[in-house]
Amino acid sequence: MYTINDMPKPIDRELIEMLEKVETATVGHVLYDAFVGPGITPLIPDRRVAGTAVTLRLVHADSTLLHYLTKLVRPGDIILIDRCGDQRYACWGGGVTHAMKLAGVKAGIVDGPATDIADIRQLNLPVWSRGLSPVTTRLLDKFGALNVPVSIGGKIVHPGDAVLADECGILVLPPGEVRSIAQEALARQEREVGLIERLRSGEKLPDISGATKQVEAKIFAAGVENANLQSR
Protein backbone atom coordinates (compact mmCIF):
# COMPACT_ATOMS: atom_id res chain seq x y z
CA MET A 1 0.00 0.00 0.00
CA TYR A 2 2.65 2.53 1.07
CA THR A 3 6.42 2.69 0.74
CA ILE A 4 7.89 4.95 3.41
CA ASN A 5 11.64 5.41 3.68
CA ASP A 6 13.66 7.50 6.12
CA MET A 7 13.98 11.21 5.58
CA PRO A 8 17.19 12.07 3.70
CA LYS A 9 20.20 13.69 5.29
CA PRO A 10 19.91 17.49 5.04
CA ILE A 11 22.51 19.17 2.87
CA ASP A 12 24.88 21.48 4.72
CA ARG A 13 23.48 24.97 5.15
CA GLU A 14 26.66 26.56 3.80
CA LEU A 15 26.27 24.66 0.52
CA ILE A 16 22.61 25.59 0.23
CA GLU A 17 23.40 29.27 0.79
CA MET A 18 26.09 29.09 -1.89
CA LEU A 19 23.73 27.37 -4.31
CA GLU A 20 21.03 30.01 -3.79
CA LYS A 21 23.38 32.63 -5.24
CA VAL A 22 23.47 30.72 -8.51
CA GLU A 23 21.11 31.29 -11.44
CA THR A 24 19.89 28.07 -13.03
CA ALA A 25 20.54 29.53 -16.48
CA THR A 26 24.20 29.96 -15.58
CA VAL A 27 24.53 26.23 -14.92
CA GLY A 28 22.58 25.62 -18.12
CA HIS A 29 25.61 26.80 -20.11
CA VAL A 30 27.55 23.70 -19.09
CA LEU A 31 25.13 21.04 -17.80
CA TYR A 32 22.26 19.80 -19.93
CA ASP A 33 21.02 16.66 -18.20
CA ALA A 34 20.72 18.05 -14.67
CA PHE A 35 17.46 19.92 -15.25
CA VAL A 36 13.79 19.16 -14.87
CA GLY A 37 12.08 19.49 -18.24
CA PRO A 38 10.16 22.65 -19.17
CA GLY A 39 6.49 22.91 -18.30
CA ILE A 40 6.82 22.94 -14.51
CA THR A 41 6.76 26.65 -13.76
CA PRO A 42 6.61 28.91 -10.68
CA LEU A 43 3.29 30.11 -9.28
CA ILE A 44 5.08 32.98 -7.50
CA PRO A 45 7.46 35.08 -9.65
CA ASP A 46 10.93 36.30 -8.72
CA ARG A 47 11.84 33.50 -6.34
CA ARG A 48 15.02 31.46 -6.11
CA VAL A 49 15.30 28.70 -3.54
CA ALA A 50 17.62 25.78 -2.84
CA GLY A 51 17.23 22.89 -0.44
CA THR A 52 17.25 19.17 0.19
CA ALA A 53 14.99 16.99 -1.96
CA VAL A 54 12.24 15.07 -0.22
CA THR A 55 10.50 12.94 -2.84
CA LEU A 56 6.96 11.66 -3.04
CA ARG A 57 5.06 9.57 -5.56
CA LEU A 58 1.29 9.98 -5.61
CA VAL A 59 -1.12 8.16 -7.88
CA HIS A 60 -4.34 9.56 -9.35
CA ALA A 61 -6.59 11.24 -6.75
CA ASP A 62 -4.98 9.93 -3.54
CA SER A 63 -3.00 12.44 -1.44
CA THR A 64 -3.05 10.59 1.88
CA LEU A 65 0.72 10.22 2.04
CA LEU A 66 1.25 13.92 1.26
CA HIS A 67 -0.82 14.84 4.30
CA TYR A 68 1.20 12.36 6.37
CA LEU A 69 4.45 13.87 5.10
CA THR A 70 3.62 17.28 6.59
CA LYS A 71 4.42 15.90 10.06
CA LEU A 72 7.85 14.65 8.93
CA VAL A 73 9.23 17.57 6.93
CA ARG A 74 11.98 19.83 8.25
CA PRO A 75 13.19 23.38 7.69
CA GLY A 76 15.14 23.53 4.43
CA ASP A 77 13.34 20.69 2.66
CA ILE A 78 12.01 21.00 -0.87
CA ILE A 79 9.15 18.63 -1.66
CA LEU A 80 9.10 17.08 -5.15
CA ILE A 81 5.95 15.19 -6.11
CA ASP A 82 5.75 12.72 -8.98
CA ARG A 83 2.09 12.54 -10.06
CA CYS A 84 2.67 9.57 -12.37
CA GLY A 85 1.34 11.48 -15.36
CA ASP A 86 -1.89 12.75 -13.77
CA GLN A 87 -2.78 16.25 -14.97
CA ARG A 88 -6.31 16.52 -13.54
CA TYR A 89 -6.12 16.29 -9.76
CA ALA A 90 -4.39 19.00 -7.72
CA CYS A 91 -2.67 17.48 -4.68
CA TRP A 92 -1.13 20.74 -3.40
CA GLY A 93 -3.60 23.30 -2.07
CA GLY A 94 -4.23 25.68 0.81
CA GLY A 95 -4.11 23.21 3.68
CA VAL A 96 -0.88 21.63 2.49
CA THR A 97 0.63 25.06 1.90
CA HIS A 98 -0.12 26.17 5.46
CA ALA A 99 1.27 22.94 6.95
CA MET A 100 4.45 23.03 4.87
CA LYS A 101 5.05 26.73 5.54
CA LEU A 102 4.71 26.26 9.30
CA ALA A 103 7.18 23.37 9.14
CA GLY A 104 9.81 25.52 7.42
CA VAL A 105 9.68 23.84 4.01
CA LYS A 106 11.44 25.93 1.34
CA ALA A 107 9.26 25.04 -1.66
CA GLY A 108 7.01 22.53 -3.35
CA ILE A 109 7.55 21.17 -6.87
CA VAL A 110 4.65 19.24 -8.36
CA ASP A 111 4.74 17.40 -11.69
CA GLY A 112 1.04 18.11 -12.07
CA PRO A 113 -1.40 20.87 -11.17
CA ALA A 114 -1.78 22.75 -7.89
CA THR A 115 -4.71 24.74 -6.51
CA ASP A 116 -5.57 27.53 -4.05
CA ILE A 117 -3.07 29.91 -5.60
CA ALA A 118 -4.29 32.76 -3.36
CA ASP A 119 -3.11 30.83 -0.28
CA ILE A 120 0.20 30.01 -1.91
CA ARG A 121 0.83 33.66 -2.71
CA GLN A 122 -0.43 34.97 0.61
CA LEU A 123 1.85 32.62 2.55
CA ASN A 124 4.70 33.30 0.11
CA LEU A 125 5.64 29.64 -0.16
CA PRO A 126 7.20 29.10 -3.59
CA VAL A 127 5.47 26.35 -5.58
CA TRP A 128 6.29 25.09 -9.05
CA SER A 129 3.62 23.12 -10.91
CA ARG A 130 2.10 22.35 -14.29
CA GLY A 131 -0.55 24.99 -13.79
CA LEU A 132 -3.75 24.99 -11.75
CA SER A 133 -6.79 22.77 -11.35
CA PRO A 134 -9.92 23.13 -9.20
CA VAL A 135 -10.29 19.33 -9.08
CA THR A 136 -8.51 18.12 -5.95
CA THR A 137 -7.14 14.89 -4.56
CA ARG A 138 -8.67 13.15 -1.54
CA LEU A 139 -7.65 10.91 1.35
CA LEU A 140 -8.33 7.60 -0.35
CA ASP A 141 -5.77 5.67 1.75
CA LYS A 142 -4.60 3.54 -1.16
CA PHE A 143 -1.16 4.24 -2.62
CA GLY A 144 1.96 6.34 -2.23
CA ALA A 145 5.74 6.19 -1.92
CA LEU A 146 7.91 8.48 0.19
CA ASN A 147 11.61 9.11 -0.33
CA VAL A 148 12.05 6.93 -3.38
CA PRO A 149 13.52 7.90 -6.76
CA VAL A 150 10.90 9.86 -8.70
CA SER A 151 10.50 11.36 -12.15
CA ILE A 152 9.93 15.11 -12.19
CA GLY A 153 9.59 16.56 -15.66
CA GLY A 154 11.53 13.60 -17.02
CA LYS A 155 14.41 14.07 -14.57
CA ILE A 156 15.11 11.34 -12.01
CA VAL A 157 15.36 12.87 -8.54
CA HIS A 158 16.67 10.95 -5.53
CA PRO A 159 15.84 11.81 -1.93
CA GLY A 160 18.66 13.92 -0.54
CA ASP A 161 19.58 15.51 -3.87
CA ALA A 162 20.24 19.24 -3.94
CA VAL A 163 17.55 21.25 -5.69
CA LEU A 164 17.81 24.80 -7.04
CA ALA A 165 14.67 26.38 -8.51
CA ASP A 166 14.05 29.81 -10.01
CA GLU A 167 11.99 31.37 -12.78
CA CYS A 168 14.13 29.80 -15.51
CA GLY A 169 14.02 26.22 -14.32
CA ILE A 170 14.78 23.54 -11.75
CA LEU A 171 18.26 22.09 -11.26
CA VAL A 172 18.90 18.78 -9.48
CA LEU A 173 22.39 17.80 -8.29
CA PRO A 174 23.93 15.04 -6.19
CA PRO A 175 25.09 16.63 -2.90
CA GLY A 176 28.73 15.84 -3.64
CA GLU A 177 28.68 17.98 -6.80
CA VAL A 178 27.11 21.11 -5.32
CA ARG A 179 30.27 22.93 -4.22
CA SER A 180 32.24 22.56 -7.45
CA ILE A 181 29.29 23.41 -9.70
CA ALA A 182 28.23 26.38 -7.57
CA GLN A 183 31.77 27.75 -7.49
CA GLU A 184 32.09 27.45 -11.27
CA ALA A 185 28.70 29.11 -11.80
CA LEU A 186 29.47 32.00 -9.46
CA ALA A 187 32.75 32.61 -11.26
CA ARG A 188 30.89 32.63 -14.57
CA GLN A 189 28.35 35.11 -13.19
CA GLU A 190 31.20 37.36 -12.07
CA ARG A 191 32.69 37.24 -15.56
CA GLU A 192 29.30 38.17 -17.00
CA VAL A 193 29.37 41.38 -14.95
CA GLY A 194 32.57 42.27 -16.78
CA LEU A 195 30.96 41.39 -20.10
CA ILE A 196 28.08 43.79 -19.48
CA GLU A 197 30.52 46.57 -18.63
CA ARG A 198 32.37 45.99 -21.92
CA LEU A 199 29.08 46.15 -23.85
CA ARG A 200 28.20 49.40 -22.13
CA SER A 201 31.56 50.81 -23.09
CA GLY A 202 30.76 50.22 -26.76
CA GLU A 203 32.22 46.82 -27.60
CA LYS A 204 30.08 44.43 -29.64
CA LEU A 205 28.98 41.08 -28.27
CA PRO A 206 30.30 38.93 -31.15
CA ASP A 207 33.69 40.64 -30.92
CA ILE A 208 33.90 39.73 -27.25
CA SER A 209 32.50 36.22 -27.53
CA GLY A 210 34.50 35.24 -30.60
CA ALA A 211 31.47 34.85 -32.88
CA THR A 212 32.83 37.54 -35.23
CA LYS A 213 36.07 35.63 -35.74
CA GLN A 214 34.21 32.35 -36.34
CA VAL A 215 31.70 33.77 -38.83
CA GLU A 216 34.21 35.83 -40.76
CA ALA A 217 36.59 32.88 -40.98
CA LYS A 218 33.82 30.88 -42.64
CA ILE A 219 33.02 33.77 -44.98
CA PHE A 220 36.70 34.11 -45.91
CA ALA A 221 37.07 30.38 -46.50
CA ALA A 222 33.95 30.33 -48.68
CA GLY A 223 35.27 33.28 -50.67
CA VAL A 224 38.60 31.55 -51.29
CA GLU A 225 36.83 28.37 -52.38
CA ASN A 226 34.59 30.30 -54.79
CA ALA A 227 37.58 32.12 -56.23
CA ASN A 228 39.40 28.82 -56.80
CA LEU A 229 36.36 27.35 -58.53
CA GLN A 230 36.05 30.36 -60.79
CA SER A 231 39.73 30.20 -61.78
CA ARG A 232 39.47 26.62 -63.01
Side-chain angles (χ1 to χ4, degrees):
M1 187 185 302
Y2 297 118
T3 299
I4 300 177
N5 293 322
D6 293 339
M7 296 293 281
K9 179 183 177 182
I11 298 170
D12 289 346
R13 181 176 176 180
E14 177 234 343
L15 290 178
I16 294 299
E17 290 176 350
M18 180 187 299
L19 192 58
E20 283 190 328
K21 298 175 183 177
V22 172
E23 300 171 8
T24 59
T26 302
V27 182
H29 285 287
V30 292
L31 293 181
Y32 305 117
D33 298 328
F35 290 91
V36 168
I40 302 177
T41 57
L43 298 181
I44 301 178
D46 301 321
R47 296 291 183 275
R48 185 192 303 158
V49 295
T52 303
V54 172
T55 62
L56 186 63
R57 184 182 300 129
L58 298 178
V59 179
H60 200 246
D62 189 1
S63 59
T64 310
L65 197 55
L66 175 57
H67 281 231
Y68 181 75
L69 174 60
T70 63
K71 68 183 290 183
L72 304 178
V73 289
R74 309 149 305 182
D77 287 339
I78 292 181
I79 314 304
L80 296 101
I81 305 176
D82 181 350
R83 295 292 286 116
C84 302
D86 183 83
Q87 298 297 312
R88 176 173 175 80
Y89 295 96
C91 66
W92 192 293
V96 169
T97 301
H98 276 82
M100 294 295 189
K101 179 73 174 184
L102 290 169
V105 165
K106 298 283 284 290
I109 298 172
V110 185
D111 194 346
T115 196
D116 296 333
I117 190 170
D119 290 308
I120 291 170
R121 289 174 173 168
Q122 180 181 5
L123 291 170
N124 196 28
L125 179 64
V127 174
W128 281 253
S129 75
R130 290 191 182 274
L132 299 168
S133 173
V135 184
T136 64
T137 53
R138 299 179 292 282
L139 302 186
L140 300 179
D141 192 24
K142 292 183 178 294
F143 309 104
L146 174 60
N147 288 320
V148 297
V150 296
S151 176
I152 306 293
K155 170 66 179 173
I156 301 300
V157 183
H158 295 86
D161 280 345
V163 179
L164 171 67
D166 62 16
E167 284 193 299
C168 291
I170 301 166
L171 171 69
V172 179
L173 296 170
E177 297 180 9
V178 171
R179 186 179 300 278
S180 61
I181 290 174
Q183 287 174 339
E184 181 180 349
L186 291 172
R188 180 181 286 269
Q189 288 173 193
E190 186 65 28
R191 291 195 297 272
E192 188 169 337
V193 173
L195 168 66
I196 300 303
E197 289 302 316
R198 292 177 68 179
L199 290 173
R200 287 174 175 167
S201 70
E203 293 186 66
K204 301 301 181 183
L205 179 60
D207 297 337
I208 300 171
S209 69
T212 295
K213 184 181 295 184
Q214 292 174 324
V215 172
E216 292 181 353
K218 286 284 197 307
I219 293 172
F220 177 77
V224 170
E225 183 177 354
N226 289 335
N228 290 336
L229 289 173
Q230 291 172 4
S231 65
R232 290 177 184 175

